Amino acid sequence: MTLVTDVRLRRVLDSRGNPTVEADVLTESGGFGRAAAPSGASTGEYEAIELPPGEAIANAREHAVPQLEGRVYAGNQREVDAALRGADGTDDFSGIGANSAVAISMAAAKAGADVLGAPLFQHLGGTFRGENFPTPLGNVVGGGEHAADATYIQEFLAAPVGAPNVTDAVFANAAVHAAVADILDERGESCGKGDEGAWAPSIDDAEAFEIVDEATDVVSSDVGFEVGFGLDVAASELYDADAEVYRYGDDEKTTDEQVEYIADLVREYDLVYVEDPLDEDDYEGFADLTERVGEQTLVCGDDLFVTNTERLRTGIDLDAANSILIKPNQIGTLADAFDAVELAVRNGYDPVISHRSGETEDATIAHLAVATDAPFIKTGAVGGERTAKLNELIRIADDAL
Ligand code: PGA
Ligand code: ZN
């Protein structure tokens, strides 16, 4: 019933106005799945390769589509994803592009779910029990590679850790986003938004901490549960490898100073989450920080691990972190992303399922988060391509309970 009969690929728009790859997968019995690849701006050095969409589509049509149509079953994700890897023939998907691969992989999963008449999260092996919903981390202030003339730290993320249900959590993050706007307004700091919908004021990082701390406090007392916050430092973008320092404008920090700085921030602001606090090659720096604050907060590797089990294994051996960001397009297929989650969980690492700065309406990651029972999902706070995932989480909860 789930034999793949057609794979169609096209270029569609992403949230930055760039083209990206969308895939349709059709099956023998009329099953249908559609998915689109997201795209990063602060991309990790070790990520699978995203090709220009036109090239990715042409290469996938030539090499992958003939290996899929009439040959694999959409209901068998491992078979689909192995066929994609085999057709690509490289370690990093530079043959057909990780963008083509991930779009086809996710579209096949949806087609498999469609044939079964099951929601995607269930087809992917998950259940929704209500009390275990993934807590959304909502980007409310940011800069880095996502906005010019804004903070050095890429993302300040609202974290409604005390929320009793997913709907309250989603609305709490939107409330923090609105509260930040009010505070910025009071301070006369008008500003636009970055790529993920976070406010991108021209303020220094210290002021951003004050503002987000105040906004989360205000919302916490309004909603009556704990709303904390966390960071994606995206430190690889700040690191100058030649000088071996982190550059915050004219300010610079050695690795030891960077570890100290982040550890102090964790203590001062009770940060619940710190992503990429150090450069993507610095397992030792990560381990040093994790030793200091790993009991209090999640130290999460994004560019460090790039959803790659080999890199995660190295991190586990060195006690480099206690959490891993999972972005299916960093590795190329859903099966690979599941392998990373499984290895993480077996070793006590919390998986955090994540969007990219360039997104579409595709809501696959909402299902992936529920399917893997991930404690967190990072998918912005506002903006259509972000609310697509948040509203899907609300629907999943509503349908499942
Ligand atoms: P990116 O940013 O999608 O631009 O890589 C998101 C992140 O760093 O987590
Ligand atoms: Zn990141």
Side-chain angles (χ1 to χ4, degrees), residues 330-344:
Q330 279 183 327
I331 192 70
T333 72
L334 277 181
D336 290 307
F338 267 86
D339 288 345
V341 170
E342 198 179 284
L343 180 64

Side-chain angles (χ1 to χ4, degrees), residues 13-325:
L13 271 178
D14 81 3
S15 53
R16 271 193 281 257
N18 295 327
T20 189
V21 179
E22 180 172 86
D24 289 356
V25 169
L26 287 83
T27 75
E28 198 179 17
S29 60
F32 173 74
R34 172 174 291 162
S39 175
S42 65
T43 340
E45 169 81 20
Y46 304 102
E47 293 194 18
I49 303 298
E50 176 187 316
L51 293 177
E55 199 182 326
I57 289 172
N59 293 0
R61 279 188 185 139
E62 184 183 346
H63 300 291
V65 173
Q67 302 302 319
L68 300 167
E69 290 179 347
R71 290 185 174 222
V72 298
Y73 290 84
N76 186 342
Q77 193 65 39
R78 295 244 166 226
E79 185 185 48
V80 171
D81 292 344
L84 286 168
R85 278 223 170 265
D88 175 80
T90 71
D91 282 345
D92 58 6
F93 272 116
S94 49
I96 62 170
N99 36 352
S100 275
V102 81
I104 295 170
S105 178
M106 298 191 304
K110 290 183 183 178
D114 187 37
V115 172
L116 296 172
L120 180 60
F121 74 86
Q122 224 169 57
H123 171 53
L124 293 175
T127 52
F128 187 84
R129 293 189 294 276
E131 71 276 15
N132 279 10
F133 65 89
T135 300
L137 297 169
N139 191 354
V140 292
V141 172
E145 293 296 299
H146 294 170
D149 293 326
T151 54
Y152 292 109
I153 290 177
Q154 182 178 281
E155 300 166 30
F156 290 76
L157 300 152
V161 288
N165 59 63
V166 77
T167 305
D168 287 353
V170 166
F171 280 94
N173 283 355
V176 174
H177 190 269
V180 166
D182 290 344
I183 300 167
L184 285 168
D185 193 41
E186 279 163 25
R187 295 183 178 216
E189 300 282 359
S190 66
C191 67
K193 293 177 189 171
D195 287 350
E196 294 182 356
W199 300 109
S202 292
I203 57 176
D204 61 23
D205 290 17
E207 189 174 359
F209 276 99
E210 272 176 33
I211 291 171
V212 176
D213 196 33
E214 186 183 335
T216 48
D217 279 354
V218 167
V219 172
S220 257
S221 17
D222 277 0
V223 296
F225 55 77
E226 190 189 347
V227 182
F229 72 103
L231 307 174
D232 181 1
V233 183
S236 297
E237 304 292 343
L238 303 173
Y239 191 61
D240 177 341
D242 295 328
E244 300 189 352
V245 292
Y246 293 86
R247 292 201 188 283
Y248 295 78
D250 294 335
D251 245 22
E252 53 183 51
K253 295 186 201 298
T254 63
T255 296
D256 284 351
E257 287 166 349
Q258 176 76 357
V259 168
E260 198 61 48
Y261 172 56
I262 301 293
D264 286 348
L265 290 171
V266 168
R267 292 186 201 107
E268 184 172 354
Y269 294 101
D270 240 339
L271 299 178
V272 299
Y273 177 82
V274 182
E275 178 183 328
D276 281 353
L278 291 139
D279 179 61
E280 62 202 338
D281 287 312
D282 193 1
Y283 286 98
E284 288 76 16
F286 261 88
D288 186 6
L289 182 70
T290 301
E291 197 183 336
R292 294 196 204 193
V293 298
E295 298 283 313
Q296 287 151 260
T297 194
L298 286 186
V299 178
C300 182
D302 170 15
D303 294 347
L304 180 73
F305 295 138
V306 292
T307 317
N308 180 314
T309 50
E310 260 178 59
R311 292 189 63 86
L312 176 59
R313 223 180 278 279
T314 305
I316 290 165
D317 288 346
L318 297 170
D319 285 328
N322 56 21
S323 172
I324 177 176
L325 208 69

